[in-house]
Amino acid sequence: MSKELSSGIEKAPQRALYKALGLSDDEIAKPIIAVISAKSEIVPGHMHLDTITDAVKAGIYAAGGTPVVVPAIGICDGIAMGHDGMRYSLPSRELIADGVESMLIGHAFDGAVLVPNCDKIVPGMLMGAARVNLPTVLVSGGPMSSGIYRGKKVSLSSTFEAVGAVKAGKMSLDELTELENCACPGCGSCCGMYTANSLNCLCEALGIALPGNGTVPAVQAERLRLAKKAGEAIMKLVENDIRPRMILTKDAFMNALAVDMAIGASTNTVLHLFAVAAECGITLNLDLVQQISDRTPNLCKLSPSTTQDMEDLGRSGGIMAVLNQLASKNLIKGDSLTVTGKTLSHSYAGKAVTGEAIQPIDNPISPCGGIAVLKGNICEDGAVVKRSAVSHKMLTFTGKAKVFDSEEDCVLAIMSGKIQKGDVVVIRYEGPKGGPGMREMLSPTSALCGMGLDEDVALITDGRFSGATRGAAIGHVCPEAAAGGKIALIKDGDKISIDIPNGKLNLEINAKEMAARTKKYRPKDGEPTGWLLRYKYLVTGAAQGAVLKKKF
């Protein structure tokens, strides 16, 4: 594309602007590659991305290209958690996608290296790149190291749970301060199998990132070498005209979903894989997710469910070892193309399990995958739960509803001791439309865990959960309350039954009572400010990936 601007007398004005950037005639004549960086000084996962982009640029220069760094926005979910800022997190995915599309086409780049690290930034960049369909490689900033608190590994989720522990009298304020000072020791995406690291691992399975993208720690020199290799790889993709939609095929998404189930990834991956697939003209649905989960064993149990972190996963062979295990049972399509220019099987062939963070496929943690899809009269279009993070005691559960119309009201009730063993906490009007923005509910789930209630209380919501969540936390309830979903009809004291092994979630009232409540239903409504008002009327349901309508 840049050749349109670098040759001919008519393009002298554009060349003059290139030269204003300090580019020489030789640099202008080479393929010009966008290095799209989410670097900022507010997101720990992004604070070091200038060093990653410098390494990418070195790789591009060495391989005969001209790199140009351009920006992308990014919100830190941990900082946004528990207040109105979280309403902007999921919607920002759409802004990032639009930004990538605008920058790539507006400046006629020949290819792109995407340099994200955190939750919405990874899928947002992929969505934009898939739309434009120029040669693209993704290289993340890598995971954060675990913190060490009194000799034990800790992470961001430890601090969220500690708040509940303080409220329950199980931890002192001085201990909390000590923990918060060491839980997040430096740069990188938070160290457990949370959403950011889940997605960065799945990018390896999709073939859009090089092996090691999800597990090589942010602070290691190997991360810089990986970034240089990404810079070299993009030049080969440009030379051979290999584009994202040639890599991001239906088989690639099936591979990613299989790895998703094997590693016990965040439930947010369902939203994001659906959204990226949609940009490639591919439709995924929750029934497919359940089918893949049913046949794919869970091989990894990582933080927040254990103290094993992303570095442990890497030492154990990483995603390539997971893929090789799955391929041994014909659960992977190994002939899928990747950014190496070769097939996925070429990358994972011979990659052995070398540590305890990956179970051999013949001795899995569970015969089925880490995510389960539930359906029932509360969630006719589906709901999801991170099954691998649920206590066996809570896989089947019946309790009485405690209903809240916002996250804040729920957290106040938890902290006030109003939630008891045997309750099913219901948080509604937090879906894509109802929030708007589908906030993550890490604060209430962590409070329950910190207070020791995670094996006695379930939580369901039309919002969503952080990958740092553990316990019987069921999210993405569809249809959401604001769209007339039955979750809006639940009353305090109603009996709710949860059967995760059989994929069921139901409100235990008779048909006559359900009909009467439906007739009386009046949706709670509010008009958000700013661009969230536009988002509210354009966004689809979680079962469709909470993408924006293409036509309206």
Side-chain angles (χ1 to χ4, degrees), residues 141-200:
M144 186 185 291
S145 300
S146 287
I148 303 296
Y149 171 73
R150 301 188 176 187
K152 295 182 179 180
K153 285 184 180 181
V154 291
S155 63
L156 178 66
S157 62
S158 305
T159 63
F160 274 94
E161 293 183 13
V163 174
V166 170
K167 290 289 185 180
K170 298 180 178 181
M171 176 181 271
S172 71
L173 286 173
D174 286 343
E175 289 171 326
L176 176 62
T177 299
E178 182 183 346
L179 173 61
E180 73 178 66
N181 285 336
C182 64
C184 300
C187 65
S189 48
C190 297
C191 65
M193 188 55 77
Y194 308 160
T195 305
N197 290 328
S198 295
L199 288 164
N200 284 324

Side-chain angles (χ1 to χ4, degrees), residues 140-444:
S140 74
M144 186 185 291
S145 300
S146 287
I148 303 296
Y149 171 73
R150 301 188 176 187
K152 295 182 179 180
K153 285 184 180 181
V154 291
S155 63
L156 178 66
S157 62
S158 305
T159 63
F160 274 94
E161 293 183 13
V163 174
V166 170
K167 290 289 185 180
K170 298 180 178 181
M171 176 181 271
S172 71
L173 286 173
D174 286 343
E175 289 171 326
L176 176 62
T177 299
E178 182 183 346
L179 173 61
E180 73 178 66
N181 285 336
C182 64
C184 300
C187 65
S189 48
C190 297
C191 65
M193 188 55 77
Y194 308 160
T195 305
N197 290 328
S198 295
L199 288 164
N200 284 324
C201 288
L202 297 189
C203 283
E204 294 186 46
L206 285 169
I208 201 68
L210 295 170
N213 181 70
T215 56
V216 174
V219 296
Q220 290 189 3
E222 188 181 351
R223 175 59 57 177
L224 298 179
R225 294 194 294 272
L226 183 67
K228 289 177 183 176
K229 290 178 183 177
E232 294 167 357
I234 188 59
M235 297 310 299
K236 292 180 181 177
L237 296 182
V238 170
E239 179 184 355
N240 295 308
D241 197 29
I242 297 176
R243 298 170 180 255
R245 289 184 216 163
M246 299 166 66
I247 295 170
L248 299 173
T249 62
K250 182 69 174 285
D251 282 349
F253 285 102
M254 298 280 277
N255 289 340
L257 284 169
V259 170
D260 195 333
M261 301 307 154
I263 64 177
S266 164
T267 52
N268 283 317
T269 58
V270 176
L271 289 173
H272 300 318
L273 287 176
F274 282 23
V276 177
E279 296 293 350
C280 300
I282 296 166
T283 300
L284 305 178
N285 59 53
L286 291 177
D287 290 339
L288 176 63
V289 171
Q290 188 59 52
Q291 290 169 21
I292 294 175
S293 183
D294 286 342
R295 68 177 185 240
T296 308
N298 178 212
L299 306 180
C300 304
K301 200 173 185 68
L302 301 169
S303 173
S305 300
T306 69
T307 57
Q308 297 266 35
D309 59 19
M310 298 306 297
E311 193 168 354
D312 293 318
L313 177 58
R315 289 196 191 103
S316 299
I319 297 305
M320 291 303 121
V322 172
L323 281 163
N324 197 30
Q325 289 291 302
L326 296 176
S328 71
K329 300 297 183 182
N330 296 315
L331 297 171
I332 292 295
K333 300 285 188 179
D335 57 354
S336 296
L337 183 63
T338 75
V339 291
T340 66
K342 300 176 182 178
T343 63
L344 187 62
S345 62
H346 184 271
S347 295
Y348 67 66
K351 299 298 181 182
V353 173
T354 55
E356 296 179 356
I358 304 172
Q359 285 289 108
I361 200 163
D362 290 326
N363 184 31
I365 294 167
S366 167
C368 50
I371 293 176
V373 175
L374 309 182
K375 291 193 175 181
N377 60 9
I378 295 175
C379 50
E380 293 160 321
D381 294 341
V384 296
V385 60
K386 189 172 180 177
R387 173 168 43 194
S388 59
V390 179
S391 164
H392 288 289
K393 178 181 175 181
M394 294 295 290
L395 289 173
T396 57
F397 182 77
T398 299
K400 291 184 177 180
K402 291 281 184 70
V403 184
F404 304 93
D405 286 348
S406 74
E407 178 190 8
E408 288 84 355
D409 289 347
C410 176
V411 171
L412 181 61
I414 293 171
M415 296 302 187
S416 301
K418 295 179 180 178
I419 304 302
Q420 306 297 323
K421 292 182 178 182
D423 287 341
V424 177
V425 175
V426 178
I427 308 177
R428 59 194 181 192
Y429 293 104
E430 290 285 8
K433 292 179 183 295
M438 203 180 183
R439 290 192 291 177
E440 288 185 344
M441 303 287 141
L442 182 56
S443 294

